């Protein structure tokens, strides 16, 4: 025999709800705890709080925390109520969210596990005997609750990044606040529409208050920012990394052209020197810097001039 009072306590079930039955099925390793609403309880509309009569009830089941490794289900006939204003509405239950098939405590446990795995769904699904979709649903509801609780964000200084997703050629666009280092938005893909999705969520005042948008040199992000942010051209800042890459490419273009000319005259100075011109001088050993590379620079080929321009730009 299973103790109804014990289960009342374990579940935190309080009046007007009472545990009326506990069924154990060893074959499927499941405990079903049946909870009923006190018949004398005066029901009210969940929307307006006015008294509302019960018309019928629907049996619903929620997965709860396991008891002694047995899958545990909370079941209740949830009344449907008739409100004079809101017509037929389902009564809310205190142990679960409206559209969830899990109790709040169970969702809480799944979310704790998800935090521990950095959000990876598959191991949790296996551990908790849930489907991938079920864990994903719990995760999505938690994200929704978190977003609903958010205070207005600091959106003056923005940072836009594209990120690959699941090591395939799937991309997402991530917008974060440069000040708070917080993710504000994640959109599918890396197109203009991806970033538009963030900007349209800002009020005109917020858009006008943006002072800088840091990004890579993506034409799509530039177009989206120009479309939504007033005086965007003065506010877009390209990531140093991307600027450095373009400058490095330019230096190498000069080196290759010059090498061709020098080779024609039998001068092999620039052969195999590509990496010297592209390396960050801060990472170069003293020996490299003041040895072969110093004499190359001193011999003043055109490449040395391009290189000096690149280094000056990086210092800006
Ligand atoms: Zn109502």
């Amino acid at each position: 025999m299973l103790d109804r009072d014990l289960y009342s306590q374990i579940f935190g079930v309080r009046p007007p709800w009472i545990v009326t039955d506990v069924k154990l099925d060893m074959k499927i390793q499941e405990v079903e705890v049946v909870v009923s609403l006190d018949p004398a309880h005066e029901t009210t509309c969940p929307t307006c709080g006015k008294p509302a009569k019960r018309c019928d009830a629907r049996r619903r089941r929620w997965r709860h925390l396991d008891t002694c490794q047995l899958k545990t289900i909370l079941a209740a006939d949830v009344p449907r109520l008739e409100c004079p204003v809101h017509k037929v509405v389902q009564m809310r239950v205190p142990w679960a969210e409206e559209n969830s098939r899990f109790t709040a405590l169970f969702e809480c446990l799944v979310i704790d596990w998800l935090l521990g795995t950095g959000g990876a769904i598959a191991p949790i699904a296996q551990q908790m005997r849930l489907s991938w979709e079920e864990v994903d649903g719990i995760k999505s509801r938690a994200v929704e609750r978190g977003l609903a609780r958010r205070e207005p964000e600091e959106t003056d200084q923005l940072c836009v990044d594209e990120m690959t997703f699941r090591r395939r050629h799937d991309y997402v666009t991530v917008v974060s606040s440069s000040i708070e280092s917080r993710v504000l938005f994640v959109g599918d893909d890396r197109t203009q529409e991806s970033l538009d999705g963030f900007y349209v969520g800002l009020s005109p005042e917020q858009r006008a208050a943006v002072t800088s948008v840091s990004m890579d040199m993506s034409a799509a992000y530039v177009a989206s920012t120009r479309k939504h942010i007033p005086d965007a051209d003065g506010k877009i800042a390209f990531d140093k990394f991307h600027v450095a890459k373009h400058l490095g490419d330019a230096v190498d273009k000069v080196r290759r052209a010059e090498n061709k000319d020098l080779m024609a005259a039998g001068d092999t100075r620039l052969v195999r020197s590509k990496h010297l011109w592209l390396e960050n001088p801060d990472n170069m050993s003293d020996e490299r810097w003041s040895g072969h590379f110093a004499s190359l620079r001193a011999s003043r080929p055109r490449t040395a001039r391009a290189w000096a321009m690149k280094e000056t730009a990086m210092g800006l």
Side-chain angles (χ1 to χ4, degrees), residues 45 47-48 83 85-86:
C45 167
T47 307
C48 64
C83 167
V85 184
H86 297 99

Side-chain angles (χ1 to χ4, degrees), residues 45 63 259 263 268 283 314:
C45 167
R63 168 99 183 260
N259 185 44
M263 288 284 280
T268 58
N283 301 336
M314 293 320 290

Side-chain angles (χ1 to χ4, degrees), residues 147-159:
L147 289 176
R149 277 200 306 268
R150 262 196 178 176
E151 300 285 329
E153 301 281 353
E154 184 64 68
T155 52
D156 294 5
Q157 293 179 33
L158 302 169
C159 185

Side-chain angles (χ1 to χ4, degrees), residues 30-49:
E30 192 179 287
V31 184
E32 188 186 63
V33 180
V34 182
V35 176
S36 306
L37 185 65
D38 178 354
H41 179 70
E42 280 174 24
T43 46
T44 54
C45 167
T47 307
C48 64

Side-chain angles (χ1 to χ4, degrees), residues 129-149:
R129 290 165 286 163
L130 293 166
S131 70
W132 194 94
E133 285 73 19
E134 285 172 327
V135 180
D136 186 53
I138 291 172
K139 186 171 161 181
S140 303
R141 279 191 291 277
V143 170
E144 264 170 42
R145 283 193 301 269
L147 289 176
R149 277 200 306 268

